[in-house]
């Protein structure tokens, strides 16, 4: 117990020091030092020692109420000290509850401050309340109680969003809150709740998207791009994720990786294959076999890759996207057959017999009968992955003589 | 009560909302008042909305009518009050008479005025013939207004309506009058709080004399309370509303105005002679009316009511202006003399407190038992009242406005008559009716009335008067209001502020309490002002009603008889309410009221709001919720007081159910709903729970959490195995709920039943319902839902299946065992094929455990998913044939889509032809046949079926040299279409076809 070594006077000094910093930051509107006072999850030694001091010095209330400069913020400070203490002790549910009180009181004050000087502190609070809520939920779930703190944090963030969505200088903070909300909603699986926030960001005149901080824009584009992946709206998803990739800090490889994780499937489904080095660099090797399968027309490889990483793909929400690459693999396979035939006999190359395809699939250890392959061929033609027609009588795919296998080049497969 | 707090907040700050509210409120208030008070007015409104008679009227007109009517009443009341102030009962009755007169005059006079006499008569007819219908219609009208608040008011209204409807039309009239008056009161002073007690008191009295008129009053008062609170806030809006309505409804309004004029004229012919000499003679003429009406039948009363409405309208448009102006003035005096009000209020409160239930008795009894006292009261109030409010009123009215004076005089005489006769109450009302006419006549005839000339009064003033009158629940209040307003108007005229004053902003004066007046007269002269305050309703006079009832009954029997039904209804609702609450409220409210009243004169608006807020806070229910609660409490108490015949109970139950429905939709206050919902034992149980919570928290809203709902869970006692499903509209009755053992048998019975799906579905739904209300969640529950889900799948009833599936998901998540795998597969299939939502699909797939993925059914479902996403129709139909469990049934629902997709795909990619036999084979037409090579017969059958299908979908069929039947793909690719399903029904679910249901459903 660290604080056992601390004297009462030391504890008193630390708490007063904290309170002084607080009131100084407010009076001088020093956002930078102000925000550090709330950063619970940063585990700063300053706050950790404060936690010990609060634990030792039981009557922090008295200190706060001693002076007007503190007591006017007692709604913020009291629960904050409690939260710091609980956080240090690992009691995240209590820490969250106290921090939520602080956050609510802070928003009250924040509304009254004309300028946006405390925006940084608000960011910290918004971030930490989410982190605390996640930890609290973990704790609740482990004790068999229903984890609902993150949900509560979500509704608090909506409140914050309301406080920022005005005309003043504070509005640039709205996107940060939005992004934190996205994180919560994605985590909770209540993605549909994003829609209302997105609508207000994209339609409200008070927001000029270019005006927001870059990091928020990147985050926002990342999440909205992911939503577009869910909807299989590939051109839009491609645009948003590419925007995120382009503007993302190149030093933040983890973020780039996250973006690529969703961007690669999107690109694949519009016919653009990534360089293997890219996959290696960002350790996205789960895609390498899929890319290979697409290159080779190897259906078995694709299916294996999908099966191997099924969980991962399901969780990131790209499984269904990748699964649809099957048709492109079939296309590649037929194209290969066509090329081989062309080398043998250019005059008859455009007639691909069904039994040849069935045989090729058998080599790939994929057991499909004629009917099924016929069906696949029909679908390929139907979706415009092959130009030509199928002659049922002779069981032959008759390919167009010009560009029988049109490339997607950025366009999604017709559905 | 949180509800209270919120309500107040919203009401106070949000004027826009208020506007709507007001809209509603007026409607609500009026409606209730309508129903009870002025059948005629109701008729008008109804006619507009539903009925035939008023075809010409538009909805706006409807509203308009309502408004005008109330004003008319209030005007009348005011006049009456001024003269009769003391005679609460008389006044109330007086209003009624006015209405009646108007009505009568209406038909006769209406023709001359251009009103469709037929329409009026139609009203009449409608009203009389179909009281119930009219009743329902008003409700509908309210809904049309659509204000959020309506629910509450409507609730009450319905109650009153129902009561009135059931009763004769005459009853209706009185009730409305009461409503309006009470409303006025509350508006002005926050009497609303007192209202509940009032109700109780009145109820009690009624209870004893179910047939007495007073019960209606109490009912109405309950309604009034709710409406009142709203009105306070909404006063201004009201004015606006009025104006707007007039404008928008220009045609209607014109008509109304005409009617009003006509009504005025009408009255003249009918009662004119008497009116000509307003003071004394009119009374004479009226009494006969009254008697006839009261004794004779509901019809006469109805007519009068209709007349009233007409009169009111006319009042508003023409005479209304004059009269209104006058009335407004009186109103102002009330406000200005807050002190007086306070004193009066205090008195009221005191009386109420002391007497609680007896308080009502006090005022009620006096009139009936002691005809003379009422008279005295009347005279005294008027005369003595002058000391406080009455002084001004009397002075102002009598001297300044000849009309008023005439009215006053009329009212007095009428009152006297009323007092003299048992039916007196009714009579006075009639007299009051005549009064408006007289006033009009006077205005037109008498030069002295020049001030009052309609044209002279600003619209806003009219609106004000309307508002004021709308508040009046009964004739008494109307009279009182009229008197007050006359005073105000004369004063304003004298000041020269008549036209300059912002009437829209003018606070409504506190409701004069006629009842109070009576009490005062009986008890002491100090209460002279009481006439204005009809506080009795508001006050807690509650549980000892029985005692009161006899008295009131004896006097008012005739009138009250009509009201009785209302009482019953309310009783049912209110069974559980306790007198304590009422008392508390009263006490609490009293300070508020005083404050408000005192402040009111200076800052009318703010004061009103304050009062509202205070009311809201203290009542908890105040604005919306509080109203309900109050009414409920009133109901409960009344119910407690009453122990009626089983028939009555039934009726009450029905009505209360109705209320529950209405409220349920409109209000989100579960708390209240639940209370309301309960029937019989539940009522009492839940009500007591509510009461408990209330007493604990006293205005703060934790009540719901504090209630131990577990303790309130139903334990079924029904031993019937078979039970039809009926969607609950109220709290479940344990007598009709089956306990778990019986439900198990019922499930077995259904499973082994040979009857059709409709029967099984019905039975299973009722089993589910019983499980739900008893909060049984165990393996039996799972079994029931699984069984139902399977039946639903077999029958293709997807919506029912979805209900079961979602319940099963929750049940499985709770760890209750069942056929988890099987239903996981179903769920997957359902998501794949019917929700088409990738995120749902992904989350469903993510949730599958490895173990589940090895399950045959789940594997199949996953394969189907793959086939569907890739559009692999061959795979799909193979899986279709191999489907385990009931997967086939779910796939069935997708087959048509899949086939169509497949054929359009084939038509696009195949050239030049596709044999139909191939299609039949690939698309699963040859079901079992293909699988095992099949017999020729089956093949041909499948072939024919496929051919039919292709033709139905627009494929182009041709025959080649080998006589093979082929599909011409090139032609077909552009001609394919998805035909409308043959069995499509308008409501989208063939299973719900009425004929089918009637034909197959057992029972």
């Amino acid at each position: 117990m660290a604080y056992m070594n601390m004297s009462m006077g030391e504890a008193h000094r630390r708490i007063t020091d904290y309170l002084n910093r607080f009131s100084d930051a407010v009076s001088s509107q020093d956002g930078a030092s102000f925000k550090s006072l709330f950063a619970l999850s940063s585990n700063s030694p300053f706050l950790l020692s404060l936690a010990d001091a609060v634990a030792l010095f039981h009557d922090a209330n008295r200190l706060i109420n001693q002076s007007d400069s503190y007591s006017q913020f007692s709604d913020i400070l009291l629960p904050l000290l409690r939260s710091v203490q609980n956080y240090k002790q690992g009691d995240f549910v209590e820490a969250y509850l106290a921090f939520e009180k602080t956050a609510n009181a802070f928003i009250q004050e924040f509304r009254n401050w004309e300028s946006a000087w405390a925006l940084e502190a608000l960011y910290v609070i918004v971030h930490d309340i989410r982190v605390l809520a996640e930890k609290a939920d973990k704790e609740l779930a482990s004790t068999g109680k229903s984890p609902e703190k993150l949900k509560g944090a979500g509704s608090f963030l909506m409140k914050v969003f309301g406080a920022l969505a005005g005309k003043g200088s504070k509005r640039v903070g709205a996107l940060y809150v939005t992004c934190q909300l996205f994180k919560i909603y994605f985590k909770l699986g209540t993605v549909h709740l994003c829609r209302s926030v997105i609508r207000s960001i994209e339609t409200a005149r008070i927001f000029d998207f270019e005006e927001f901080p870059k990091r928020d824009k990147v985050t926002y584009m990342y999440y909205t791009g992911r939503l577009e992946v869910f909807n299989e709206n590939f051109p839009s998803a491609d645009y948003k994720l590419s925007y995120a990739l382009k503007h993302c800090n190149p030093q933040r490889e983890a973020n780039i990786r996250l973006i690529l994780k969703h961007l690669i499937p999107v690109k694949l489904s519009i016919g653009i294959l990534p360089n293997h080095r890219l996959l290696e660099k960002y350790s996205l090797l789960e895609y390498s076999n899929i890319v290979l399968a697409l290159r080779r027309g190897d259906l078995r490889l694709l299916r294996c890759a999908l099966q191997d990483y099924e969980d991962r793909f399901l969780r990131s929400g790209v499984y269904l996207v990748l699964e649809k690459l099957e048709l492109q693999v079939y296309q590649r396979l037929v194209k290969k057959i066509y090329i081989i035939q062309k080398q043998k006999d250019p005059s008859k190359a455009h007639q691909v017999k069904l039994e040849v395809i069935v045989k090729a699939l058998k080599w790939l250890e994929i057991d499909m009968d004629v009917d099924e392959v016929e069906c696949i061929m029909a679908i390929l033609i139907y979706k415009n992955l092959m130009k030509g027609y199928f002659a049922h009588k002779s069981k032959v795919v008759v390919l167009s003589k010009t560009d029988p296998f049109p490339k997607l080049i950025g366009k999604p497969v017709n559905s | 009560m949180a509800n209270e707090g919120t309500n107040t907040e919203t009401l106070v700050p949000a004027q826009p909302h208020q506007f709507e509210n007001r809209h509603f409120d007026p409607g609500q208030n009026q409606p209730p008042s309508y129903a009870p008070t002025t059948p005629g007015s109701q008729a008008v409104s109804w006619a507009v909305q539903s009925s035939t008679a008023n075809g010409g009227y538009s909805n706006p007109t409807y509203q308009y009518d309502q408004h005008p009517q109330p004003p008319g009443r209030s005007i009348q009341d005011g006049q009456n009050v001024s003269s009769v102030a003391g005679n609460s009962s008389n006044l109330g009755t007086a209003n009624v008479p006015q209405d009646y007169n108007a009505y009568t005059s209406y038909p006769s006079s209406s023709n001359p005025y251009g009103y469709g006499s037929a329409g009026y008569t139609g009203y009449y007819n409608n009203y009389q013939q179909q009281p119930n219908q009219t009743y329902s219609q008003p409700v509908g009208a309210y809904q049309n207004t659509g204000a959020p608040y309506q629910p509450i008011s409507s609730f009450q209204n319905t109650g009153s309506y129902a009561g009135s409807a059931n009763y004769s039309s005459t009853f209706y009239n009185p009730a409305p009058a009461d409503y309006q008056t009470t409303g006025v009161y509350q508006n002005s002073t926050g009497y609303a709080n007192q209202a509940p007690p009032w109700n109780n008191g009145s109820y009690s009295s009624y209870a004893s004399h179910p047939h007495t008129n007073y019960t209606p009053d109490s009912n109405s008062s309950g309604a009034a309370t709710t409406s009142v609170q709203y009105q306070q806030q909404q006063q201004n809006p009201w004015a606006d509303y009025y104006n707007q309505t007039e404008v928008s409804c220009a045609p209607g309004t014109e008509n109304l105005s005409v009617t009003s004029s006509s009504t005025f004229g009408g009255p003249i012919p009918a009662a004119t002679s008497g009116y000509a000499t307003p003071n004394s003679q009119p009374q004479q003429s009226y009494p006969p009316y009254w008697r006839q009406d009261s004794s004779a039948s509901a019809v006469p009363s109805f007519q009068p009511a209709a007349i009233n409405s007409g009169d009111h309208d006319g009042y508003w448009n023409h005479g209304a202006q004059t009269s209104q102006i006058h009335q407004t003035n009186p109103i102002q005096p009330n406000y200005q003399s807050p002190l007086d009000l306070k004193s009066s209020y205090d008195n009221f409160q005191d009386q109420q407190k002391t007497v609680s239930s007896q308080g009502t008795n006090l005022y009620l009894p006096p009139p009936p038992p002691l005809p003379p006292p009422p008279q005295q009261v009347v005279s005294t109030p008027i005369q003595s009242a002058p000391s406080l409010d009455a002084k001004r009123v009397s002075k102002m009215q009598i001297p300044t406005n000849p009309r008023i004076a005439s009215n006053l005089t009329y009212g007095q005489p009428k009152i006297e008559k009323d007092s003299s006769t048992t039916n007196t109450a009714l009579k006075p009302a009639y007299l009051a009716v005549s009064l408006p006419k007289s006033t009009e006549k006077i205005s037109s005839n008498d030069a002295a009335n020049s001030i009052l000339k309609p044209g002279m009064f600003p619209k806003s003033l009219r609106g004000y008067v309307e508002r004021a009158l709308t508040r009046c629940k009964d004739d008494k209040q109307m009279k009182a209001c009229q008197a007050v307003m006359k005073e105000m108007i004369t004063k304003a005229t004298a000041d020269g502020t008549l036209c300059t004053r912002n009437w829209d902003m003018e606070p409504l004066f506190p409701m004069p309490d006629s009842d109070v007046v009576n009490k005062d007269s009986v008890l002491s002269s100090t209460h002279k002002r009481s006439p204005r305050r009809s506080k009795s309703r508001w006050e807690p006079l509650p549980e000892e009603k029985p005692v009161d009832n006899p008295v009131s009954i004896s006097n008012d029997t005739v009138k009250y008889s009509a009201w009785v039904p209302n009482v019953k209804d309310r009783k049912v609702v209110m069974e559980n309410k306790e007198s304590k609450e009422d008392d508390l409220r009263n006490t609490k409210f009293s300070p508020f009221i005083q404050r408000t009243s005192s402040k009111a004169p200076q800052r009318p608006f703010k004061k009103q709001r304050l009062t509202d807020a205070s009311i809201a806070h203290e009542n908890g229910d105040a604005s919306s919720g509080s109203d309900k609660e109050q009414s409920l409490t009133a109901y409960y108490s009344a119910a407690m007081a009453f122990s009626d015949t089983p028939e009555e109970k039934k009726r009450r139950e029905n009505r209360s159910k109705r209320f529950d429905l209405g409220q349920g939709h409109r209000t989100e206050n579960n708390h209240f709903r639940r209370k309301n919902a309960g029937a019989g034992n539940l009522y009492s149980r839940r009500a007591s729970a509510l009461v408990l919570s209330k007493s604990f928290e006293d205005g703060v809203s934790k009540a719901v959490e504090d209630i131990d709902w577990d303790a309130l869970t139903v334990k079924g006692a029904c031993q019937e195995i078979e039970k039809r499903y009926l969607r609950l509209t109220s709290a479940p009755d344990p007598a009709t709920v089956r306990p778990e053992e019986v439900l198990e048998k019922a499930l077995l019975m259904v499973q082994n039943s040979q009857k059709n799906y409709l029967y099984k579905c019905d039975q299973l739904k009722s089993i589910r319902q019983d499980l739900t209300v008893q909060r049984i969640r165990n393996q039996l529950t799972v079994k029931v839902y699984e069984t139902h889900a399977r039946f639903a799948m077999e029958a293709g009833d997807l919506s029912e299946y979805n209900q079961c599936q979602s319940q099963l998901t929750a049940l499985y998540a709770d760890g209750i065992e069942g056929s988890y795998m099987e239903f996981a597969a179903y769920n997957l299939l359902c998501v794949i094929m019917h929700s088409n939502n990738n995120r749902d699909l992904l989350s469903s797939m993510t949730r599958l455990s490895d173990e589940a993925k090895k399950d045959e059914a789940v594997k199949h479902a996953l394969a189907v998913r793959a086939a569907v996403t890739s559009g692999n129709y061959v795979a799909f139909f193979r899986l279709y044939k191999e489907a385990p469990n009931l997967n086939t049934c779910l796939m069935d629902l997708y087959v048509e889509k899949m086939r169509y997709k497949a054929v359009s795909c084939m038509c696009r990619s195949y050239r030049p032809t596709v044999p139909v036999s191939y299609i039949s084979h690939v698309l699963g037409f040859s079901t079992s046949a293909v699988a095992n090579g099949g017999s020729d017969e089956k093949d041909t059958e499948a072939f024919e079926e496929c051919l039919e299908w292709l033709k139905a979908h627009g494929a182009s069929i041709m025959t080649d040299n080998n006589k093979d039947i082929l599909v011409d793909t090139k032609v077909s690719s552009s001609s394919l279409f998805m035909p409308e399903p043959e069995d499509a029904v308008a409501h989208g679910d063939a299973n719900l076809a009425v004929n089918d249901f009637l034909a197959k459903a057992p029972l």
Side-chain angles (χ1 to χ4, degrees), chain B residues 327-340:
Chain B
Q327 294 172 354
T328 47
N329 288 332
I331 295 170
Q332 292 176 351
N334 288 335
Y335 269 101
Q336 292 173 353
S337 58
L339 297 173
D340 295 343

Side-chain angles (χ1 to χ4, degrees), chain B residues 30 56 79 81 87 96 98 128 178 199 230 243 301 412 442 446 583 595 597 610 723 743 754 818 849 862 951:
Chain B
Q30 292 177 352
Q79 295 173 351
V81 173
N87 297 340
V96 176
Q98 289 179 356
Q128 297 171 353
D178 293 345
N199 294 333
Y230 286 106
N243 296 333
S301 65
Q412 291 177 349
I442 296 165
D446 295 354
D583 293 342
R595 259 193 253 153
S597 62
L610 282 174
K723 176 185 164 188
L743 288 175
Q754 298 301 314
S849 61
L862 287 171
K951 281 177 182 167

Side-chain angles (χ1 to χ4, degrees), chain A residues 323 369 371 374 382 390, chain B residues 865 878 909-911 918 921:
Chain A
E323 198 186 48
D369 68 8
D371 280 349
E374 188 177 331
Y382 180 63
F390 187 80
Chain B
R865 181 205 61 76
R878 281 189 184 151
S909 48
Y910 282 67
R911 289 292 182 275
Y918 172 74
H921 159 69

Side-chain angles (χ1 to χ4, degrees), chain B residues 562-867:
Chain B
W563 299 94
V564 178
N566 292 333
V567 175
K568 293 174 184 176
D569 294 342
R570 294 185 179 174
K571 291 174 184 175
V572 178
V573 181
M574 306 197 35
E575 285 178 359
N576 295 327
K577 279 278 181 170
E578 296 180 0
S579 59
K580 292 178 182 178
E581 290 184 1
D582 294 338
D583 293 342
L584 287 174
R585 289 181 186 173
N586 294 329
T587 53
K588 291 177 181 178
F589 285 111
S590 60
F592 281 99
I593 296 164
Q594 294 176 355
R595 259 193 253 153
T596 51
S597 62
S598 62
K599 294 174 182 177
Q602 300 171 353
R603 306 172 191 169
F605 242 59
K606 290 179 180 178
K607 292 169 185 176
Q608 291 177 356
R609 288 183 182 179
L610 282 174
T611 51
D612 293 347
S614 65
I615 294 168
H617 278 293
E618 304 213 323
N619 285 342
D621 300 344
S623 52
S624 58
S626 62
D627 291 345
K628 295 176 185 176
E629 266 202 2
Q630 288 182 353
S631 64
L632 286 176
T633 50
Y635 286 130
Y636 284 121
S637 61
M640 304 272 278
F642 276 107
S643 56
D644 292 336
T645 65
E647 294 175 356
E648 284 181 353
K649 281 181 183 173
K650 271 190 185 174
R651 262 194 242 158
R652 283 184 217 158
E653 277 193 15
N654 289 335
R655 280 173 206 152
S656 65
K657 279 179 188 170
R658 234 190 284 152
F659 296 150
D660 295 340
L661 272 179
Q663 276 194 348
H665 290 300
R666 296 165 190 171
T667 335
E668 296 182 355
N669 205 332
N670 297 330
H671 200 57
F672 293 116
R673 262 196 238 158
R674 286 177 193 160
K675 292 179 182 179
N676 296 338
N681 298 337
L682 282 180
Y683 272 147
S684 55
R685 254 199 270 156
R686 297 197 170 164
S688 61
L690 288 171
V691 171
L692 282 177
S693 64
K694 239 190 176 179
S695 58
F696 278 132
E697 313 220 354
D698 200 21
V700 196
S701 72
K702 290 177 186 175
V704 181
E705 290 92 341
D706 289 353
I707 296 173
D708 180 13
W709 291 110
D710 283 336
L712 300 176
T713 304
V714 177
K715 296 277 181 286
C718 176
Q719 295 299 318
E720 297 282 328
I721 287 173
E722 198 175 15
K723 176 185 164 188
R724 293 220 65 180
Y725 173 72
L726 183 67
R727 184 169 183 152
L728 282 178
T729 56
S730 65
D733 179 0
T736 63
V737 172
R738 295 163 289 183
E740 193 174 338
E741 321 85 69
V742 180
L743 288 175
E744 247 168 276
K745 287 181 203 158
L747 177 63
L748 266 179
M749 184 273 290
V750 175
Q751 280 172 334
N752 299 326
S753 166
Q754 298 301 314
K755 297 190 184 174
N756 67 5
Y757 171 69
L758 289 171
Y759 170 80
K760 290 175 181 169
C761 178
D762 186 65
Q763 290 298 311
L764 285 165
K765 276 170 89 82
S766 77
I767 295 174
R768 280 162 50 188
Q769 184 185 61
D770 285 354
L771 288 169
T772 305
V773 298
Q774 296 178 89
R775 304 177 69 184
I776 297 173
R777 283 171 70 86
N778 54 22
Q779 293 201 11
L780 173 66
T781 321
V782 169
K783 260 189 225 162
V784 169
Y785 278 103
E786 284 177 353
T787 310
H788 198 177
R790 288 187 192 116
F791 283 138
M793 272 187 282
E794 281 172 2
D797 186 352
L798 203 58
S799 65
E800 207 61 54
Y801 163 77
N802 279 330
Q803 287 181 32
C804 297
Q805 176 72 60
S806 62
Q807 280 297 319
L808 283 171
T809 315
L811 289 164
Y812 292 145
D814 284 0
I816 304 169
E817 283 182 20
S819 311
Y820 171 74
M821 297 296 183
E822 182 187 341
F823 279 90
Y826 297 151
N827 186 39
L828 265 181
L829 286 173
C830 220
V831 174
I832 296 157
M833 295 184 288
H834 304 296
S835 85
N836 199 21
N837 182 326
N838 282 327
R839 251 184 298 112
D840 287 352
L841 180 54
L842 276 169
S843 65
S844 306
M845 289 174 69
T846 317
R847 265 185 270 122
L848 288 176
S849 61
D850 286 342
E851 189 191 347
K853 281 175 191 166
K854 284 172 198 154
D855 182 85
E856 204 53 44
V858 176
K859 264 204 262 180
H860 176 266
L862 287 171
V864 171
R865 181 205 61 76

Side-chain angles (χ1 to χ4, degrees), chain B residues 378-518:
Chain B
V378 174
S379 61
T380 49
I382 299 168
Q383 297 171 354
S384 61
S387 63
L388 300 174
D389 298 345
K391 288 177 184 177
R392 299 174 188 173
V393 176
S394 62
K395 291 176 184 177
M396 302 297 291
Q397 293 173 351
I398 297 170
T400 49
N401 294 332
R403 300 177 187 172
I404 299 170
S406 64
N407 290 332
L408 293 170
T409 53
Y410 285 121
Q412 291 177 349
K414 295 171 185 177
I415 295 163
E416 291 175 358
K417 293 174 182 178
D418 294 343
S419 61
S420 64
T421 326
T422 50
N423 295 333
T424 50
L426 295 172
K427 293 175 181 179
Y430 286 108
L431 295 172
V433 176
S434 64
L435 290 175
K437 297 174 184 177
S438 65
T439 53
E440 292 175 355
K441 294 175 183 178
I442 296 165
S443 63
S444 60
N445 296 334
D446 295 354
N449 293 333
S450 61
I451 303 169
L452 304 174
K453 287 175 186 174
M456 292 186 57
F457 301 97
K459 235 183 190 177
S460 59
L461 175 54
R462 263 186 277 157
Y464 181 80
V465 176
E466 284 184 15
R467 265 180 281 137
L469 293 182
T470 322
R471 303 180 304 177
C472 299
K473 288 181 182 176
D474 58 12
D475 302 307
K476 300 172 194 172
Q477 291 188 346
M478 290 279 277
K479 283 183 187 174
C481 287
Q482 286 177 348
V484 176
M485 285 190 287
K486 272 187 198 171
E487 204 181 15
M488 288 175 68
I489 294 173
T490 43
K491 208 181 181 184
T493 328
D495 296 348
T497 58
L498 184 60
C499 296
T500 56
R501 201 180 292 190
N502 185 353
W503 291 104
D504 289 344
M505 300 291 291
E506 197 74 13
L508 287 179
F509 54 92
M511 268 304 272
D513 198 354
S514 55
D515 297 334
V516 176
V517 175
N518 290 335

